C-alpha cells in the first residue's frame, strides 16, 4: 500500500532516519525522546545477543548486536522473544514475593487493557465487579458487557502460554490445561450464579449492576494466542463442557477483531456468542475451524449460504462422525483463497494504528512530532 508512495525529506528524516537495519540511541529518540543513554545501555546488556557469539544451534530470535550496534531481523519474532525472555527473567531472578507482585500487576494490567480496548465497542462495559453467590462468599469478575437483553462475563488470564520447544502433544495439552482450568472454574461459578438467581447483582465501589438473563455468556480471554485450539477447548478437555451453558474461549486479539467487525457492520455480537454456545451444545465433539474469526464469519453470515450454514440446513453435519473436523475454505470469484480472518485482523491493525497515532504520547510516551509525521505519511487521499 505504501511502497510506491512519495515521502518528503522532512518526514523521511523524522520517522526513518537510517535506511539500513541498524538503530542507535539517536533513532530511538526520534520515537521516544525521553529515552536516556543509560536506559539504552541497560536494555542492550539485558536483551542483546552478539552475533559473534551465537552458535548454529541457538534459537535465532530477538535483538542482535553487530559490534555493539543493535538490529532486528523480524519484528514478530523479536516481540515473542521479548515477552518470553521477560517471563523467564522474572521467574529465575526475582524472589517469590517479587514474582507474585509481578504476576499480579501483569494480570491487572491485562484486565484493564481488555476493558479499555473494548468499552467503545459495546453498549455497556464495566471493570472489576463483585457478586455474592451466597451470604458467606464474595466473588470477583474482571469485565462485564451488557445491553438491554444480554450479559457477558469475561475472565481475563495473562498466564504465559509458550508452546515453543514442547514438541510432544501431551506436553502441549498439559500446558493448555494448566493455563485454562482456573478460568473455567471461575466462569463455571458465575454461570451457576446467573442461572439460579432471578435477579443478578454485581457491585463495584461506585455502582450496582442489576438485571435478569436467561442465557448468560461467559468467556475466557487469553492474553497469549490460543487461536489454534480456542474454538475447541471443550473437545480437547471434555470436563470443560458445560452442556446447559457452554463457556467460550478467545484470545484478546480475536475478541477485539470480532467486536470491531460487529460494531462496523452493525452485527449482534451477543447473538453470535449465543449461536456459538448452541453449536457447542449440538455438536460438542466436533472440531470446527481452528480460527475463531473464520468461524465467526460463517456463523454471522448464515443467511448468505456459508458452508457451515449449508451443512446444517441439509442435515449433513448431523450425519458426520461425532469426532469429525470441519474446516471451511473461502475463495473469491477468481478462485483465490480469501480468509475472513486475514481481513478482520487487517481491519483491527488499522484501528489500533489509528489509536496509536491519536493517543501514542499519553499511552507510550511517543514524540508528538514522530506521530504527526507518521500520520502525514500514512494518510492516503
Amino acid at each position: 500500500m505504501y511502497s510506491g508512495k512519495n515521502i518528503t525529506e522532512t518526514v523521511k528524516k523524522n520517522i526513518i532516519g537510517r535506511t539500513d537495519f541498524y538503530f542507535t540511541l539517536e533513532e530511538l529518540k526520534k520515537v521516544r525522546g525521553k529515552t536516556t543513554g543509560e536506559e539504552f545501555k541497560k536494555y542492550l546488556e539485558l536483551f542483546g545477543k552478539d552475533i559473534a557469539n551465537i552458535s548454529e544451534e541457538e534459537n535465532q530470535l530477538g535483538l542482535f548486536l553487530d559490534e555493539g550496534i543493535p538490529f532486528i531481523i523480524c519484528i514478530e519474532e523479536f516481540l515473542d522473544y521479548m515477552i518470553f525472555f521477560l517471563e523467564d527473567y522474572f521467574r529465575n531472578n526475582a524472589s517469590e514475593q517479587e514474582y507474585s507482585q509481578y504476576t499480579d500487576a501483569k494480570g491487572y494490567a491485562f484486565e484493564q487493557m481488555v476493558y479499555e480496548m473494548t468499552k467503545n465497542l459495546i453498549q455497556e462495559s464495566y471493570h472489576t465487579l463483585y457478586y455474592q453467590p451466597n451470604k458467606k462468599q464474595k466473588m470477583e469478575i474482571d469485565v462485564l458487557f451488557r445491553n438491554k437483553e444480554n450479559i457477558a462475563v469475561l475472565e481475563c488470564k495473562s498466564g504465559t502460554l509458550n508452546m515453543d520447544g514442547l514438541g510432544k502433544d501431551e506436553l502441549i495439552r498439559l500446558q493448555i490445561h494448566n493455563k485454562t482450568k482456573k478460568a473455567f472454574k471461575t466462569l463455571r461459578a458465575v454461570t451457576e450464579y446467573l442461572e439460579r438467581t432471578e435477579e443478578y447483582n454485581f457491585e463495584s465501589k461506585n455502582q450496582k449492576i442489576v438485571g435478569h438473563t436467561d442465557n448468560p455468556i461467559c468467556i475466557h480471554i487469553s492474553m497469549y494466542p490460543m487461536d489454534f485450539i480456542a474454538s475447541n477447548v471443550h473437545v480437547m478437555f471434555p470436563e470443560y463442557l458445560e452442556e446447559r451453558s457452554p463457556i467460550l474461549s478467545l484470545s484478546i486479539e480475536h475478541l477485539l477483531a470480532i467486536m470491531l467487525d460487529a460494531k462496523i457492520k452493525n452485527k449482534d455480537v451477543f447473538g453470535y456468542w449465543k449461536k456459538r454456545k448452541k453449536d457447542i451444545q449440538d455438536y460438542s465433539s466436533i472440531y470446527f475451524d481452528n480460527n475463531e474469526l473464520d468461524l465467526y464469519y460463517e456463523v454471522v453470515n448464515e443467511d448468505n449460504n456459508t458452508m457451515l450454514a449449508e451443512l446444517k440446513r441439509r442435515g449433513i453435519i448431523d450425519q458426520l462422525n461425532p469426532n469429525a473436523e470441519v474446516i471451511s475454505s473461502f475463495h473469491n470469484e477468481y478462485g483465490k483463497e480469501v480468509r475472513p480472518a486475514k481481513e478482520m485482523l487487517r481491519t483491527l491493525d488499522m484501528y489500533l494504528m489509528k489509536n496509536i497515532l491519536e493517543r501514542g504520547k499519553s499511552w507510550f510516551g511517543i514524540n508528538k512530532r514522530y506521530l504527526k509525521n507518521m500520520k502525514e505519511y500514512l494518510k492516503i487521499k
Side-chain angles (χ1 to χ4, degrees):
M1 189 182 295
Y2 297 101
S3 59
K5 193 173 184 296
N6 292 329
I7 184 169
T8 67
E9 286 301 315
T10 300
V11 173
K12 184 177 179 181
K13 177 182 176 183
N14 289 334
I15 68 173
I16 297 178
R18 300 176 70 118
T19 54
D20 54 25
F21 289 96
Y22 298 103
F23 63 92
T24 64
L25 179 60
E26 184 181 351
E27 276 72 51
L28 275 186
K29 290 179 80 69
K30 289 178 186 293
V31 182
R32 184 179 181 270
K34 61 183 182 180
T35 304
T36 66
E38 186 62 28
E39 286 175 330
F40 189 46
K41 180 183 176 183
K42 287 181 179 179
Y43 185 85
L44 295 184
E45 288 174 351
L46 189 60
F47 300 108
K49 295 193 286 189
D50 194 323
I51 58 174
N53 300 324
I54 297 177
S55 66
E56 292 184 7
E57 292 76 28
E58 280 189 71
N59 198 351
Q60 305 300 311
L61 302 177
L63 177 67
F64 303 97
L65 298 175
D66 181 9
E67 296 185 353
I69 304 175
F71 67 94
I72 293 166
I73 294 175
C74 173
I75 291 292
E76 288 184 356
E77 291 179 348
F78 165 70
L79 293 174
D80 282 346
Y81 167 77
M82 283 288 301
I83 289 170
F84 295 127
F85 183 98
L86 280 170
E87 293 289 331
D88 289 339
Y89 186 84
F90 270 97
R91 189 179 294 109
N92 296 326
N93 294 279
S95 67
E96 187 174 333
Q97 183 180 0
E98 288 170 334
Y99 186 66
S100 178
Q101 290 173 344
Y102 162 72
T103 54
D104 288 347
K106 177 188 172 189
Y108 184 80
F110 180 55
E111 293 172 24
Q112 187 69 28
M113 183 176 77
V114 172
Y115 168 70
E116 291 292 341
M117 295 179 82
T118 57
K119 66 180 181 181
N120 295 324
L121 302 175
I122 202 80
Q123 190 171 331
E124 289 183 52
S125 182
Y126 306 92
H127 179 220
T128 311
L129 295 169
Y130 299 89
Y131 70 98
Q132 285 190 274
N134 54 59
K135 292 182 179 181
K136 294 182 179 180
Q137 278 184 302
K138 189 175 185 181
M139 307 281 282
E140 179 184 347
I141 62 169
D142 297 335
V143 177
L144 184 145
F145 296 154
R146 192 173 74 150
N147 65 12
K148 188 176 180 180
E149 300 174 349
N150 303 288
I151 185 173
V153 176
L154 277 59
E155 178 69 11
C156 307
K157 291 299 180 186
S158 61
T160 310
L161 189 67
N162 185 7
M163 304 300 176
D164 189 40
L166 289 181
K168 295 183 179 179
D169 287 350
E170 57 265 31
L171 293 178
I172 294 174
R173 286 175 61 91
L174 180 63
Q175 172 89 294
I176 296 170
H177 188 267
N178 288 342
K179 300 302 179 183
T180 54
K181 61 182 179 181
K182 191 173 180 181
F184 275 77
K185 181 180 179 181
T186 300
L187 291 173
R188 182 177 288 134
V190 178
T191 300
E192 290 172 356
Y193 167 73
L194 290 170
E195 284 189 331
R196 70 170 177 263
T197 185
E198 188 63 31
E199 183 180 70
Y200 60 74
N201 188 333
F202 294 98
E203 297 182 9
S204 69
K205 293 179 181 178
N206 306 316
Q207 55 201 340
K208 184 180 290 189
I209 314 302
V210 179
H212 172 77
T213 180
D214 291 319
N215 193 353
I217 298 159
C218 290
I219 313 175
H220 159 231
I221 306 297
S222 167
M223 176 175 163
Y224 294 85
M226 264 186 42
D227 309 320
F228 62 97
I229 190 60
S231 304
N232 304 293
V233 173
H234 64 282
V235 182
M236 180 176 278
F237 307 110
E239 66 270 26
Y240 285 174
L241 179 62
E242 294 291 318
E243 293 183 0
R244 285 169 53 85
S245 189
I247 294 166
L248 308 178
S249 187
L250 281 171
S251 68
I252 173 62
E253 184 181 33
H254 281 191
L255 172 72
L256 290 172
I258 287 171
M259 293 183 68
L260 180 62
D261 186 82
K263 181 81 170 180
I264 293 172
K265 297 176 182 176
N266 198 28
K267 300 285 187 180
D268 179 10
V269 71
F270 287 104
Y272 163 68
W273 286 327
K274 286 179 180 179
K275 288 178 180 178
R276 281 289 290 118
K277 287 176 59 177
K278 184 70 165 58
D279 281 344
I280 291 173
Q281 288 172 317
D282 293 344
Y283 315 108
S284 60
S285 60
I286 291 181
Y287 274 90
F288 285 97
D289 278 284
N290 58 6
N291 190 310
E292 187 73 24
L293 302 188
D294 289 338
L295 190 53
Y296 162 82
Y297 176 86
E298 288 264 55
V299 173
V300 299
N301 291 288
E302 285 183 342
D303 295 338
N304 297 334
N305 289 325
T306 61
M307 189 185 86
L308 183 57
E310 193 68 12
L311 289 174
K312 290 179 182 177
R313 255 195 304 272
R314 294 189 179 188
I316 296 174
I317 197 168
D318 297 309
Q319 300 172 33
L320 294 177
N321 184 304
N323 300 311
E325 187 172 348
V326 179
I327 303 293
S328 302
S329 179
F330 306 87
H331 295 82
N332 61 18
E333 63 269 32
Y334 306 108
K336 183 179 178 182
E337 187 175 39
V338 182
R339 298 196 72 87
K342 185 176 180 180
E343 288 304 309
M344 289 176 68
L345 290 175
R346 183 172 173 272
T347 301
L348 175 61
D349 283 345
M350 291 190 291
Y351 171 77
L352 295 176
M353 175 61 79
K354 179 175 178 291
N355 275 279
I356 289 172
L357 293 174
E358 291 176 354
R359 301 178 178 88
K361 179 167 178 58
S362 60
W363 283 1
F364 308 116
I366 300 176
N367 294 343
K368 279 186 176 180
R369 185 182 357 175
Y370 180 85
L371 291 168
K372 178 183 177 183
N373 283 273
M374 182 65 81
K375 189 174 183 179
E376 180 183 332
Y377 174 63
L378 295 178
K379 190 183 295 180
I380 295 179
K381 298 178 182 178

